[in-house]
Amino acid sequence: MSSDEGVVGNFVSRRLFFLQYLHVLEFVVAALVFVVINSLRQRRRYGLPVWPFLGMLPSLVSGLRSDLYEWISDILCEQNGTFRFKGPWFSSLNCVVTADPRNLEHLLKSKFSVFPKGPYFRDTARDLLGDGIFNADDETWQRQRKTASIEFHSAKFRQLTAESVLELVHARLLPVLENAVNQSISIDLQDVLLRLTFDNVCMTAFGVDPGCLRLGLPEIPFAKAFEDATEATLLRFVTPTCVWKTMRCLDLGTEKKLKKAIKGVDEFAEEVIRTRKKELSLQTEDKKQRSDLLTVFMRLKDEQGKPFSDKFLRDICLNFILAGRDTSSVALSWFFWLLEKNLVVEQKILAEICKIINERDDMKNGADLKSPLIFRPEEIKKMDYLQASLSEALRLYPSVPVDHKE
């Protein structure tokens, strides 16, 4: 064979080799195009593209980078209020998302007992919430709710709440805001309100003041640990169960952060419970009794007539801190944000408040208000426009926009 024939032979063999793999490449490209088109076509039916193996996870990752609740709301509007989320085949991220009022009434009222939190939710949140009211079902939930409901309506608890709010607003919140004005510095109002509600709910739940809302806005270890633990726990709900459980076993990433944060939370709770038990053992009958939730549950007995365990007391208090901290601060943050966007509403609220103040007897007599302005309960009940504004803010931006049922 001549050299020219060898060159031609090599060229032909390479061409055949290239053509062979070109067919394979064309097949792969065609398959990918088919998958993409088919997945995107399912968006009209299911609300989101459904990818092989991954389900709707890519869309969820994209939604987490934007405004998650607005993103979900847009999908719900397109799907007439209800759609089914399909997660990856290897995960437990499969659920029905609904905002239909008829479904909500069925789930949360008509058939409430049929739709508990369920084992998935309890297992995911157990490390932080334990057996507290947010993570409990059936008798455990009913017992805590009944006891808390009775306490919330008691005169002592209402007085404790009113006194703590009054103290925090006049001695903490107003000085912080006044300092910001005098120093001409900007502040994060949501952070300030979060500190306010955290101090308040700790005082009503544990009977202690962590001191988050002070001049300089110091970082409090317990508050930081609680924030980190809450954030890491929430991330579990958008992470495949097998993934976060593996990370927990290997002590990696957010699970390592969660473990450290829960240790800080537990140390604070254990110290408070230990101190409170010592106080109660030395307390005399004539001494003024505490009315915070921790003390109330410490005086109660379980079904066997025994005092509640320290673990159960810790779970109860942490759950109520979670319930009162974020909900109130988020509601107030959105309320003031909306007021800034609607100056007419702000003027009407101020006019209503001024009218009530002018109706006071001491104002009619021409007395000067030298002491801090404090509104009485009967005066607050007259603030109809303020009540309507708060209700509208909660309607537009709910403090708890998502609830899980199984």
Side-chain angles (χ1 to χ4, degrees):
M1 181 183 294
S2 66
S3 60
D4 291 341
E5 289 175 338
V7 171
V8 171
N10 287 335
F11 176 76
V12 170
S13 62
R14 288 176 181 176
R15 183 70 179 268
L16 290 173
F17 179 81
F18 175 75
L19 288 174
Q20 178 183 357
Y21 278 89
L22 182 62
H23 289 310
V24 175
L25 182 62
E26 288 175 344
F27 174 78
V28 171
V29 171
L32 287 174
V33 171
F34 172 78
V35 168
V36 170
I37 293 174
N38 185 58
S39 298
L40 293 175
R41 283 179 64 186
Q42 293 185 70
R43 178 175 182 175
R44 181 177 298 180
R45 179 180 178 185
Y46 296 109
L48 290 172
V50 183
W51 303 95
F53 303 111
L54 296 176
M56 298 178 177
L57 183 61
S59 299
L60 176 61
V61 173
S62 176
L64 287 171
R65 293 182 175 181
S66 60
D67 189 329
L68 178 63
Y69 300 121
E70 290 292 340
W71 174 73
I72 293 176
S73 298
D74 291 340
I75 299 169
L76 287 168
C77 289
E78 294 174 2
Q79 297 295 307
N80 296 319
T82 304
F83 80 98
R84 181 182 174 189
F85 184 87
K86 298 183 177 181
W89 65 268
F90 55 85
S91 77
S92 55
L93 292 175
N94 296 289
C95 60
V96 175
V97 184
T98 183
D100 190 321
R102 296 166 298 179
N103 291 337
L104 299 184
E105 183 179 16
H106 182 77
L107 287 162
L108 302 177
K109 184 180 179 182
S110 304
K111 297 292 182 181
F112 178 76
S113 60
V114 181
F115 297 96
K117 296 258 185 342
Y120 167 74
F121 185 95
R122 293 200 304 273
D123 186 45
T124 305
R126 186 178 300 279
D127 288 346
L128 173 62
L129 301 181
D131 295 314
I133 194 168
F134 268 11
N135 206 38
D137 282 321
D138 304 325
E139 293 181 4
T140 305
W141 178 86
Q142 288 185 5
R143 184 173 69 253
Q144 292 184 51
R145 187 181 187 279
K146 182 179 179 181
T147 304
S149 180
I150 293 172
E151 182 60 24
F152 287 158
H153 289 87
S154 69
K156 282 186 177 180
F157 188 84
R158 288 186 176 185
Q159 184 180 358
L160 170 67
T161 305
E163 289 174 353
S164 64
V165 170
L166 190 64
E167 169 70 18
L168 288 169
V169 168
H170 287 277
R172 305 276 186 84
L173 177 61
L174 295 181
V176 167
L177 297 178
E178 186 178 8
N179 179 69
V181 173
N182 294 336
Q183 299 293 328
S184 299
I185 56 175
S186 61
I187 57 172
D188 184 346
L189 184 60
Q190 184 173 357
D191 176 55
V192 171
L193 293 173
L194 194 65
R195 290 169 178 268
L196 170 69
T197 55
F198 189 77
D199 282 352
N200 181 45
V201 77
C202 281
M203 290 166 71
T204 54
F206 275 126
V208 295
D209 178 12
C212 293
L213 186 59
R214 294 182 184 276
L215 290 175
L217 303 179
E219 182 177 289
I220 306 300
F222 171 59
K224 181 67 167 58
F226 192 86
E227 179 71 27
D228 291 344
T230 304
E231 182 181 331
T233 300
L234 286 174
L235 284 174
R236 282 182 172 183
F237 288 95
V238 292
T239 306
T241 304
C242 59
V243 174
W244 70 255
K245 284 192 173 182
T246 301
M247 291 172 65
R248 183 175 64 179
C249 290
L250 299 176
D251 199 22
L252 297 173
T254 56
E255 289 299 312
K256 182 178 182 179
K257 179 182 178 182
L258 176 61
K259 184 179 179 180
K260 180 181 178 182
I262 289 178
K263 182 181 178 182
V265 170
D266 288 346
E267 286 175 353
F268 176 84
E270 288 167 5
E271 176 62 26
V272 172
I273 292 170
R274 185 165 54 249
T275 304
R276 186 62 40 77
K277 282 186 174 180
K278 187 176 181 179
E279 288 177 4
L280 293 176
S281 65
L282 300 173
Q283 193 177 66
T284 57
E285 291 294 329
D286 56 338
K287 191 175 180 181
K288 184 181 177 181
Q289 293 186 344
R290 288 176 173 269
S291 54
D292 55 86
L293 280 176
L294 176 60
T295 306
V296 168
F297 275 93
M298 275 186 172
R299 292 196 179 106
L300 299 177
K301 310 291 183 183
D302 60 16
E303 294 86 349
Q304 286 76 40
K306 298 179 180 179
F308 290 115
S309 66
D310 289 358
K311 172 69 168 58
F312 189 69
L313 293 171
R314 172 263 189 205
D315 294 345
I316 290 170
C317 291
L318 288 183
N319 275 255
F320 278 104
I321 289 175
L322 181 65
R325 167 183 175 266
D326 292 77
T327 50
S328 302
S329 63
V330 167
L332 288 170
S333 299
W334 280 119
F335 173 71
F336 286 116
W337 182 82
L338 286 168
L339 278 189
E340 198 274 331
K341 302 291 182 183
N342 299 272
L343 297 180
V344 175
V345 175
E346 181 183 355
Q347 292 301 321
K348 288 184 177 181
I349 292 174
L350 290 172
E352 182 180 61
I353 292 173
C354 290
K355 180 183 176 183
I356 291 171
I357 294 174
N358 290 331
E359 291 175 353
R360 287 184 171 184
D361 292 335
D362 52 357
M363 291 298 294
K364 290 178 181 178
N365 297 330
D368 238 0
L369 284 176
K370 294 182 180 180
S371 59
L373 183 60
I374 299 172
F375 293 101
R376 308 176 188 114
E378 61 271 15
E379 291 176 328
I380 296 174
K381 290 179 181 179
K382 296 179 182 178
M383 299 179 186
D384 297 328
Y385 195 84
L386 175 61
Q387 174 66 45
S389 302
L390 286 166
S391 298
E392 180 68 357
L394 284 167
R395 184 187 71 83
L396 292 170
Y397 298 101
S399 295
V400 186
V402 175
D403 192 12
H404 176 278
K405 293 292 178 181
E406 198 166 303

